[in-house]
Short mmCIF file of all heavy atoms in Angstrom, two decimals:
data_model
loop_
_atom_site.label_atom_id
_atom_site.label_comp_id
_atom_site.label_asym_id
_atom_site.label_seq_id
_atom_site.Cartn_x
_atom_site.Cartn_y
_atom_site.Cartn_z
N ASP A 5 10.99 -23.28 14.28
CA ASP A 5 10.90 -22.35 15.36
C ASP A 5 12.14 -22.20 16.14
O ASP A 5 12.30 -22.78 17.19
CB ASP A 5 9.68 -22.76 16.28
CG ASP A 5 9.32 -21.62 17.27
OD1 ASP A 5 9.78 -20.46 17.16
OD2 ASP A 5 8.62 -21.99 18.28
N VAL A 6 13.10 -21.51 15.55
CA VAL A 6 14.42 -21.44 16.07
C VAL A 6 14.75 -19.94 16.38
O VAL A 6 14.25 -19.12 15.70
CB VAL A 6 15.51 -22.01 15.21
CG1 VAL A 6 15.29 -23.56 15.03
CG2 VAL A 6 15.50 -21.38 13.85
N PRO A 7 15.54 -19.66 17.43
CA PRO A 7 15.83 -18.21 17.71
C PRO A 7 16.61 -17.56 16.65
O PRO A 7 16.41 -16.28 16.50
CB PRO A 7 16.63 -18.31 18.99
CG PRO A 7 16.94 -19.73 19.29
CD PRO A 7 16.07 -20.58 18.34
N ASP A 8 17.42 -18.23 15.90
CA ASP A 8 18.29 -17.59 14.91
C ASP A 8 17.79 -18.13 13.48
O ASP A 8 18.57 -18.82 12.83
CB ASP A 8 19.74 -17.87 15.09
CG ASP A 8 20.19 -17.26 16.40
OD1 ASP A 8 19.84 -16.05 16.61
OD2 ASP A 8 20.99 -17.86 17.16
N PHE A 9 16.61 -17.75 13.09
CA PHE A 9 16.05 -18.22 11.86
C PHE A 9 16.96 -17.91 10.61
O PHE A 9 17.17 -18.76 9.84
CB PHE A 9 14.66 -17.62 11.67
CG PHE A 9 13.86 -18.10 10.53
CD1 PHE A 9 13.15 -19.32 10.61
CD2 PHE A 9 13.85 -17.42 9.29
CE1 PHE A 9 12.45 -19.82 9.56
CE2 PHE A 9 13.10 -17.92 8.27
CZ PHE A 9 12.44 -19.14 8.37
N ASP A 10 17.49 -16.69 10.58
CA ASP A 10 18.33 -16.27 9.48
C ASP A 10 19.56 -17.12 9.40
O ASP A 10 20.01 -17.46 8.37
CB ASP A 10 18.57 -14.74 9.46
CG ASP A 10 19.25 -14.29 10.77
OD1 ASP A 10 18.98 -14.93 11.81
OD2 ASP A 10 19.96 -13.30 10.72
N GLU A 11 20.12 -17.39 10.57
CA GLU A 11 21.37 -18.23 10.55
C GLU A 11 21.03 -19.69 10.12
O GLU A 11 21.85 -20.25 9.48
CB GLU A 11 21.97 -18.22 11.98
CG GLU A 11 22.60 -16.88 12.35
CD GLU A 11 23.18 -16.86 13.72
OE1 GLU A 11 23.45 -17.93 14.32
OE2 GLU A 11 23.45 -15.77 14.21
N ALA A 12 19.84 -20.18 10.50
CA ALA A 12 19.49 -21.49 10.13
C ALA A 12 19.31 -21.57 8.59
O ALA A 12 19.67 -22.51 7.91
CB ALA A 12 18.22 -21.92 10.81
N LEU A 13 18.73 -20.50 7.97
CA LEU A 13 18.63 -20.50 6.54
C LEU A 13 20.01 -20.41 5.90
O LEU A 13 20.26 -21.12 4.93
CB LEU A 13 17.84 -19.17 6.12
CG LEU A 13 16.40 -19.17 6.37
CD1 LEU A 13 15.82 -17.78 6.02
CD2 LEU A 13 15.69 -20.27 5.59
N GLN A 14 20.95 -19.69 6.46
CA GLN A 14 22.29 -19.61 5.86
C GLN A 14 23.03 -20.92 6.04
O GLN A 14 23.78 -21.30 5.10
CB GLN A 14 23.15 -18.50 6.61
CG GLN A 14 22.80 -17.16 6.15
CD GLN A 14 23.73 -16.17 6.85
OE1 GLN A 14 24.35 -16.40 7.87
NE2 GLN A 14 23.86 -14.96 6.26
N ALA A 15 22.78 -21.66 7.04
CA ALA A 15 23.46 -22.94 7.32
C ALA A 15 22.82 -24.11 6.60
O ALA A 15 23.31 -25.26 6.68
CB ALA A 15 23.60 -23.22 8.78
N ASP A 16 21.74 -23.85 5.92
CA ASP A 16 20.95 -24.92 5.29
C ASP A 16 21.61 -25.38 3.91
O ASP A 16 21.27 -24.81 2.87
CB ASP A 16 19.50 -24.42 5.05
CG ASP A 16 18.64 -25.52 4.43
OD1 ASP A 16 18.97 -26.72 4.55
OD2 ASP A 16 17.62 -25.12 3.77
N HIS A 17 22.51 -26.30 3.96
CA HIS A 17 23.27 -26.70 2.81
C HIS A 17 22.47 -27.68 1.88
O HIS A 17 22.75 -27.71 0.70
CB HIS A 17 24.56 -27.35 3.17
CG HIS A 17 25.45 -26.32 3.84
ND1 HIS A 17 26.09 -25.39 3.16
CD2 HIS A 17 25.83 -26.24 5.18
CE1 HIS A 17 26.87 -24.61 4.03
NE2 HIS A 17 26.65 -25.17 5.20
N ASP A 18 21.45 -28.34 2.46
CA ASP A 18 20.71 -29.30 1.57
C ASP A 18 19.30 -28.81 1.23
O ASP A 18 18.61 -29.48 0.58
CB ASP A 18 20.63 -30.66 2.27
CG ASP A 18 19.84 -30.68 3.57
OD1 ASP A 18 19.38 -29.56 4.01
OD2 ASP A 18 19.64 -31.79 4.13
N GLY A 19 18.94 -27.65 1.73
CA GLY A 19 17.69 -27.09 1.35
C GLY A 19 16.51 -27.52 2.21
O GLY A 19 15.39 -27.09 1.97
N SER A 20 16.78 -28.40 3.13
CA SER A 20 15.67 -28.97 3.93
C SER A 20 14.99 -27.90 4.88
O SER A 20 13.76 -27.94 5.06
CB SER A 20 16.16 -30.15 4.82
OG SER A 20 17.20 -29.78 5.62
N PHE A 21 15.75 -27.07 5.44
CA PHE A 21 15.25 -26.02 6.28
C PHE A 21 14.40 -25.03 5.50
O PHE A 21 13.29 -24.61 5.88
CB PHE A 21 16.35 -25.25 7.08
CG PHE A 21 15.80 -24.32 8.11
CD1 PHE A 21 15.42 -24.90 9.39
CD2 PHE A 21 15.56 -23.01 7.87
CE1 PHE A 21 14.93 -24.03 10.39
CE2 PHE A 21 15.05 -22.14 8.87
CZ PHE A 21 14.71 -22.64 10.13
N HIS A 22 14.87 -24.63 4.28
CA HIS A 22 14.11 -23.76 3.39
C HIS A 22 12.78 -24.39 3.04
O HIS A 22 11.70 -23.70 3.08
CB HIS A 22 14.93 -23.41 2.13
CG HIS A 22 15.98 -22.42 2.31
ND1 HIS A 22 17.25 -22.64 2.83
CD2 HIS A 22 15.97 -21.10 1.99
CE1 HIS A 22 17.92 -21.56 2.87
NE2 HIS A 22 17.18 -20.54 2.37
N ARG A 23 12.85 -25.69 2.66
CA ARG A 23 11.56 -26.37 2.30
C ARG A 23 10.59 -26.41 3.51
O ARG A 23 9.42 -26.20 3.29
CB ARG A 23 11.85 -27.76 1.76
CG ARG A 23 12.42 -27.74 0.31
CD ARG A 23 12.50 -29.18 -0.26
NE ARG A 23 13.37 -30.09 0.54
CZ ARG A 23 14.67 -30.14 0.46
NH1 ARG A 23 15.31 -29.30 -0.42
NH2 ARG A 23 15.43 -30.94 1.16
N ALA A 24 11.15 -26.74 4.66
CA ALA A 24 10.29 -26.80 5.87
C ALA A 24 9.65 -25.43 6.12
O ALA A 24 8.45 -25.37 6.53
CB ALA A 24 11.04 -27.32 7.09
N ALA A 25 10.49 -24.37 5.97
CA ALA A 25 9.92 -23.04 6.29
C ALA A 25 8.86 -22.66 5.21
O ALA A 25 7.79 -22.13 5.60
CB ALA A 25 11.02 -21.99 6.17
N GLN A 26 9.10 -23.00 3.94
CA GLN A 26 8.13 -22.71 2.92
C GLN A 26 6.83 -23.56 3.13
O GLN A 26 5.72 -23.05 2.89
CB GLN A 26 8.67 -22.96 1.51
CG GLN A 26 9.68 -21.90 1.09
CD GLN A 26 10.14 -22.11 -0.28
OE1 GLN A 26 11.03 -22.88 -0.53
NE2 GLN A 26 9.52 -21.41 -1.27
N ASP A 27 7.01 -24.79 3.44
CA ASP A 27 5.82 -25.61 3.75
C ASP A 27 5.00 -25.07 4.95
O ASP A 27 3.73 -25.06 4.84
CB ASP A 27 6.25 -27.08 4.10
CG ASP A 27 6.74 -27.85 2.93
OD1 ASP A 27 6.66 -27.38 1.77
OD2 ASP A 27 7.39 -28.91 3.15
N HIS A 28 5.71 -24.61 6.00
CA HIS A 28 4.96 -24.04 7.09
C HIS A 28 4.19 -22.77 6.68
O HIS A 28 3.07 -22.56 7.05
CB HIS A 28 5.99 -23.69 8.18
CG HIS A 28 5.38 -23.07 9.36
ND1 HIS A 28 4.66 -23.83 10.35
CD2 HIS A 28 5.30 -21.74 9.82
CE1 HIS A 28 4.27 -23.04 11.32
NE2 HIS A 28 4.61 -21.73 10.98
N LEU A 29 4.84 -21.92 5.92
CA LEU A 29 4.26 -20.64 5.42
C LEU A 29 3.07 -20.97 4.56
O LEU A 29 2.03 -20.41 4.60
CB LEU A 29 5.22 -19.77 4.72
CG LEU A 29 6.27 -19.20 5.69
CD1 LEU A 29 7.43 -18.58 4.83
CD2 LEU A 29 5.67 -18.07 6.57
N ALA A 30 3.21 -22.01 3.67
CA ALA A 30 2.09 -22.35 2.74
C ALA A 30 0.91 -22.93 3.52
O ALA A 30 -0.23 -22.59 3.18
CB ALA A 30 2.63 -23.36 1.71
N GLU A 31 1.18 -23.74 4.49
CA GLU A 31 0.12 -24.25 5.34
C GLU A 31 -0.64 -23.12 6.10
O GLU A 31 -1.88 -23.14 6.10
CB GLU A 31 0.70 -25.28 6.31
CG GLU A 31 -0.42 -25.92 7.16
CD GLU A 31 0.10 -26.98 8.11
OE1 GLU A 31 1.34 -27.32 8.05
OE2 GLU A 31 -0.66 -27.50 8.94
N ALA A 32 0.14 -22.21 6.61
CA ALA A 32 -0.48 -21.08 7.35
C ALA A 32 -1.32 -20.27 6.38
O ALA A 32 -2.49 -19.84 6.73
CB ALA A 32 0.56 -20.21 8.02
N ALA A 33 -0.86 -20.08 5.15
CA ALA A 33 -1.61 -19.23 4.20
C ALA A 33 -2.88 -20.02 3.77
O ALA A 33 -3.97 -19.42 3.60
CB ALA A 33 -0.72 -18.91 3.02
N SER A 34 -2.77 -21.30 3.60
CA SER A 34 -3.90 -22.11 3.24
C SER A 34 -4.97 -22.15 4.33
O SER A 34 -6.19 -21.98 4.11
CB SER A 34 -3.50 -23.58 2.98
OG SER A 34 -4.53 -24.39 2.70
N ASN A 35 -4.56 -22.26 5.58
CA ASN A 35 -5.50 -22.29 6.67
C ASN A 35 -6.13 -20.92 6.81
O ASN A 35 -7.41 -20.84 7.07
CB ASN A 35 -4.73 -22.56 7.99
CG ASN A 35 -4.27 -24.02 8.14
OD1 ASN A 35 -4.78 -24.86 7.32
ND2 ASN A 35 -3.34 -24.30 8.97
N LEU A 36 -5.39 -19.86 6.67
CA LEU A 36 -5.97 -18.52 6.72
C LEU A 36 -6.93 -18.30 5.49
O LEU A 36 -7.99 -17.73 5.67
CB LEU A 36 -4.89 -17.50 6.58
CG LEU A 36 -5.32 -16.02 6.82
CD1 LEU A 36 -6.14 -15.80 8.05
CD2 LEU A 36 -4.06 -15.15 6.82
N GLY A 37 -6.63 -18.85 4.34
CA GLY A 37 -7.51 -18.79 3.19
C GLY A 37 -8.85 -19.50 3.50
O GLY A 37 -9.89 -18.97 3.10
N ALA A 38 -8.77 -20.58 4.16
CA ALA A 38 -9.99 -21.30 4.52
C ALA A 38 -10.81 -20.51 5.50
O ALA A 38 -12.06 -20.42 5.44
CB ALA A 38 -9.68 -22.66 5.16
N THR A 39 -10.11 -19.80 6.45
CA THR A 39 -10.85 -18.92 7.39
C THR A 39 -11.49 -17.80 6.62
O THR A 39 -12.63 -17.43 6.93
CB THR A 39 -9.80 -18.38 8.44
OG1 THR A 39 -9.34 -19.51 9.20
CG2 THR A 39 -10.50 -17.50 9.41
N ILE A 40 -10.80 -17.20 5.73
CA ILE A 40 -11.38 -16.13 4.97
C ILE A 40 -12.60 -16.58 4.12
O ILE A 40 -13.60 -15.91 4.10
CB ILE A 40 -10.30 -15.51 3.94
CG1 ILE A 40 -9.17 -14.85 4.80
CG2 ILE A 40 -10.94 -14.59 2.96
CD1 ILE A 40 -7.92 -14.50 3.91
N GLN A 41 -12.48 -17.69 3.55
CA GLN A 41 -13.66 -18.24 2.81
C GLN A 41 -14.84 -18.52 3.72
O GLN A 41 -15.97 -18.47 3.23
CB GLN A 41 -13.22 -19.58 2.08
CG GLN A 41 -12.27 -19.37 0.93
CD GLN A 41 -12.86 -18.50 -0.21
OE1 GLN A 41 -14.01 -18.65 -0.51
NE2 GLN A 41 -12.07 -17.60 -0.70
N GLY A 42 -14.57 -18.83 4.98
CA GLY A 42 -15.61 -19.12 5.86
C GLY A 42 -16.41 -17.82 6.32
O GLY A 42 -17.55 -17.98 6.84
N GLY A 43 -15.91 -16.70 5.99
CA GLY A 43 -16.55 -15.47 6.32
C GLY A 43 -16.05 -14.81 7.49
O GLY A 43 -15.84 -15.42 8.57
N LEU A 44 -15.79 -13.48 7.36
CA LEU A 44 -15.23 -12.68 8.49
C LEU A 44 -15.91 -11.30 8.45
O LEU A 44 -16.43 -10.91 7.38
CB LEU A 44 -13.70 -12.50 8.33
CG LEU A 44 -12.84 -13.71 8.45
CD1 LEU A 44 -11.34 -13.37 8.01
CD2 LEU A 44 -12.86 -14.27 9.86
N ALA A 45 -15.85 -10.63 9.56
CA ALA A 45 -16.36 -9.26 9.63
C ALA A 45 -15.46 -8.49 8.68
O ALA A 45 -14.28 -8.80 8.44
CB ALA A 45 -16.27 -8.74 11.04
N PRO A 46 -15.98 -7.34 8.15
CA PRO A 46 -15.18 -6.55 7.18
C PRO A 46 -13.77 -6.21 7.56
O PRO A 46 -12.80 -6.35 6.84
CB PRO A 46 -16.05 -5.33 6.94
CG PRO A 46 -17.46 -5.84 7.22
CD PRO A 46 -17.32 -6.80 8.31
N LEU A 47 -13.59 -5.73 8.77
CA LEU A 47 -12.27 -5.30 9.32
C LEU A 47 -11.38 -6.57 9.43
O LEU A 47 -10.20 -6.47 8.97
CB LEU A 47 -12.40 -4.54 10.63
CG LEU A 47 -11.09 -4.01 11.18
CD1 LEU A 47 -10.45 -3.10 10.17
CD2 LEU A 47 -11.31 -3.26 12.45
N ASP A 48 -11.94 -7.62 9.95
CA ASP A 48 -11.15 -8.87 10.12
C ASP A 48 -10.79 -9.42 8.70
O ASP A 48 -9.70 -9.97 8.53
CB ASP A 48 -11.92 -9.96 10.89
CG ASP A 48 -12.07 -9.54 12.34
OD1 ASP A 48 -11.21 -8.77 12.84
OD2 ASP A 48 -12.97 -10.04 12.95
N TYR A 49 -11.71 -9.33 7.75
CA TYR A 49 -11.41 -9.74 6.43
C TYR A 49 -10.21 -8.96 5.79
O TYR A 49 -9.34 -9.57 5.21
CB TYR A 49 -12.67 -9.54 5.54
CG TYR A 49 -12.58 -9.92 4.11
CD1 TYR A 49 -12.62 -11.27 3.74
CD2 TYR A 49 -12.33 -8.98 3.15
CE1 TYR A 49 -12.48 -11.66 2.40
CE2 TYR A 49 -12.18 -9.31 1.78
CZ TYR A 49 -12.27 -10.69 1.44
OH TYR A 49 -12.13 -11.07 0.13
N GLU A 50 -10.24 -7.66 5.93
CA GLU A 50 -9.18 -6.85 5.43
C GLU A 50 -7.85 -7.27 6.13
O GLU A 50 -6.79 -7.39 5.39
CB GLU A 50 -9.42 -5.36 5.66
CG GLU A 50 -10.49 -4.74 4.77
CD GLU A 50 -10.76 -3.31 5.10
OE1 GLU A 50 -9.74 -2.61 5.38
OE2 GLU A 50 -11.85 -2.85 5.05
N ARG A 51 -7.83 -7.45 7.38
CA ARG A 51 -6.65 -7.81 8.15
C ARG A 51 -6.14 -9.22 7.69
O ARG A 51 -4.97 -9.39 7.52
CB ARG A 51 -6.87 -7.80 9.62
CG ARG A 51 -7.03 -6.39 10.16
CD ARG A 51 -7.35 -6.46 11.64
NE ARG A 51 -7.51 -5.11 12.12
CZ ARG A 51 -8.10 -4.84 13.34
NH1 ARG A 51 -8.62 -5.76 14.06
NH2 ARG A 51 -8.16 -3.58 13.72
N ALA A 52 -7.09 -10.11 7.51
CA ALA A 52 -6.68 -11.45 7.11
C ALA A 52 -6.13 -11.47 5.68
O ALA A 52 -5.14 -12.18 5.43
CB ALA A 52 -7.95 -12.38 7.12
N LEU A 53 -6.65 -10.62 4.82
CA LEU A 53 -6.09 -10.54 3.46
C LEU A 53 -4.63 -10.02 3.47
O LEU A 53 -3.77 -10.49 2.75
CB LEU A 53 -6.90 -9.64 2.57
CG LEU A 53 -8.21 -10.22 2.08
CD1 LEU A 53 -8.98 -9.20 1.22
CD2 LEU A 53 -8.04 -11.55 1.32
N LYS A 54 -4.38 -8.99 4.36
CA LYS A 54 -3.02 -8.47 4.51
C LYS A 54 -2.09 -9.49 5.09
O LYS A 54 -0.97 -9.65 4.65
CB LYS A 54 -3.13 -7.20 5.40
CG LYS A 54 -3.71 -6.04 4.69
CD LYS A 54 -3.79 -4.77 5.59
CE LYS A 54 -4.41 -3.63 4.88
NZ LYS A 54 -4.53 -2.49 5.73
N LEU A 55 -2.59 -10.21 6.06
CA LEU A 55 -1.76 -11.30 6.70
C LEU A 55 -1.42 -12.33 5.67
O LEU A 55 -0.34 -12.85 5.59
CB LEU A 55 -2.46 -11.88 7.88
CG LEU A 55 -1.71 -12.99 8.64
CD1 LEU A 55 -0.32 -12.53 9.05
CD2 LEU A 55 -2.48 -13.42 9.84
N LYS A 56 -2.43 -12.76 4.88
CA LYS A 56 -2.22 -13.80 3.83
C LYS A 56 -1.18 -13.28 2.85
O LYS A 56 -0.31 -14.06 2.41
CB LYS A 56 -3.50 -14.21 3.16
CG LYS A 56 -3.30 -15.36 2.22
CD LYS A 56 -4.64 -15.80 1.66
CE LYS A 56 -4.41 -17.00 0.71
NZ LYS A 56 -5.59 -17.33 -0.04
N ALA A 57 -1.24 -12.05 2.43
CA ALA A 57 -0.28 -11.48 1.48
C ALA A 57 1.14 -11.49 2.13
O ALA A 57 2.10 -11.73 1.44
CB ALA A 57 -0.68 -10.09 1.07
N ALA A 58 1.20 -11.14 3.43
CA ALA A 58 2.48 -11.16 4.08
C ALA A 58 3.09 -12.57 4.20
O ALA A 58 4.28 -12.78 3.99
CB ALA A 58 2.31 -10.58 5.54
N LEU A 59 2.23 -13.58 4.40
CA LEU A 59 2.68 -14.96 4.47
C LEU A 59 3.26 -15.38 3.05
O LEU A 59 4.27 -16.07 2.96
CB LEU A 59 1.58 -15.91 4.90
CG LEU A 59 1.19 -15.82 6.37
CD1 LEU A 59 -0.12 -16.56 6.55
CD2 LEU A 59 2.27 -16.42 7.25
N GLN A 60 2.56 -14.96 2.05
CA GLN A 60 2.99 -15.33 0.68
C GLN A 60 4.32 -14.59 0.31
O GLN A 60 5.20 -15.16 -0.31
CB GLN A 60 1.89 -14.97 -0.32
CG GLN A 60 0.68 -15.87 -0.23
CD GLN A 60 -0.56 -15.37 -0.98
OE1 GLN A 60 -0.71 -14.24 -1.19
NE2 GLN A 60 -1.35 -16.33 -1.31
N LYS A 61 4.44 -13.34 0.77
CA LYS A 61 5.73 -12.62 0.52
C LYS A 61 6.86 -13.24 1.34
O LYS A 61 8.00 -13.38 0.78
CB LYS A 61 5.54 -11.13 0.95
CG LYS A 61 6.73 -10.30 0.70
CD LYS A 61 7.19 -10.26 -0.74
CE LYS A 61 6.28 -9.50 -1.64
NZ LYS A 61 6.78 -9.45 -3.06
N ALA A 62 6.58 -13.63 2.52
CA ALA A 62 7.63 -14.31 3.34
C ALA A 62 8.08 -15.63 2.67
O ALA A 62 9.21 -15.85 2.61
CB ALA A 62 7.06 -14.64 4.74
N SER A 63 7.14 -16.34 2.08
CA SER A 63 7.49 -17.57 1.34
C SER A 63 8.37 -17.21 0.16
O SER A 63 9.37 -17.95 -0.09
CB SER A 63 6.24 -18.30 0.90
OG SER A 63 6.55 -19.45 0.27
N GLU A 64 8.08 -16.14 -0.57
CA GLU A 64 8.90 -15.72 -1.70
C GLU A 64 10.30 -15.39 -1.20
O GLU A 64 11.26 -15.71 -1.84
CB GLU A 64 8.31 -14.55 -2.38
CG GLU A 64 7.03 -14.90 -3.13
CD GLU A 64 6.35 -13.59 -3.69
OE1 GLU A 64 7.04 -12.56 -3.89
OE2 GLU A 64 5.16 -13.64 -3.89
N ILE A 65 10.41 -14.72 -0.06
CA ILE A 65 11.74 -14.34 0.48
C ILE A 65 12.51 -15.53 0.79
O ILE A 65 13.71 -15.64 0.51
CB ILE A 65 11.53 -13.39 1.66
CG1 ILE A 65 11.00 -12.01 1.18
CG2 ILE A 65 12.87 -13.22 2.44
CD1 ILE A 65 10.50 -11.13 2.30
N VAL A 66 11.90 -16.50 1.50
CA VAL A 66 12.61 -17.78 1.83
C VAL A 66 13.06 -18.52 0.59
O VAL A 66 14.19 -18.95 0.49
CB VAL A 66 11.65 -18.67 2.73
CG1 VAL A 66 12.33 -20.06 2.88
CG2 VAL A 66 11.47 -18.02 4.13
N ARG A 67 12.16 -18.52 -0.47
CA ARG A 67 12.48 -19.23 -1.66
C ARG A 67 13.71 -18.48 -2.33
O ARG A 67 14.66 -19.08 -2.82
CB ARG A 67 11.32 -19.24 -2.62
CG ARG A 67 11.58 -20.00 -3.94
CD ARG A 67 10.32 -20.18 -4.83
NE ARG A 67 9.40 -19.05 -4.92
CZ ARG A 67 8.26 -18.97 -4.24
NH1 ARG A 67 7.84 -19.96 -3.46
NH2 ARG A 67 7.48 -17.94 -4.39
N PHE A 68 13.70 -17.12 -2.36
CA PHE A 68 14.80 -16.38 -2.95
C PHE A 68 16.05 -16.54 -2.17
O PHE A 68 17.13 -16.70 -2.76
CB PHE A 68 14.37 -14.86 -2.97
CG PHE A 68 15.44 -14.03 -3.53
CD1 PHE A 68 15.75 -14.00 -4.88
CD2 PHE A 68 16.12 -13.07 -2.64
CE1 PHE A 68 16.72 -13.22 -5.40
CE2 PHE A 68 17.07 -12.26 -3.19
CZ PHE A 68 17.42 -12.35 -4.55
N SER A 69 16.02 -16.63 -0.82
CA SER A 69 17.21 -16.83 -0.04
C SER A 69 17.85 -18.12 -0.35
O SER A 69 19.05 -18.26 -0.12
CB SER A 69 16.90 -16.66 1.48
OG SER A 69 16.22 -17.78 1.98
N ALA A 70 17.10 -19.12 -0.81
CA ALA A 70 17.71 -20.43 -1.15
C ALA A 70 18.72 -20.32 -2.31
O ALA A 70 19.54 -21.18 -2.52
CB ALA A 70 16.62 -21.41 -1.46
#
Side-chain angles (χ1 to χ4, degrees):
D5 188 17
V6 295
D8 296 316
F9 187 82
D10 56 334
E11 290 178 17
L13 286 173
Q14 283 184 340
D16 181 24
H17 295 287
D18 67 356
S20 59
F21 190 83
H22 280 81
R23 284 189 300 279
Q26 285 184 279
D27 289 348
H28 179 78
L29 291 165
E31 181 179 354
S34 176
N35 291 342
L36 186 55
T39 300
I40 292 168
Q41 290 297 321
L44 295 169
L47 185 57
D48 291 337
Y49 179 80
E50 287 180 37
R51 289 176 179 163
L53 287 180
K54 288 178 182 178
L55 179 55
K56 187 174 179 189
L59 289 167
Q60 291 168 332
K61 182 58 73 176
S63 182
E64 291 174 22
I65 291 168
V66 170
R67 184 173 40 257
F68 178 70
S69 75

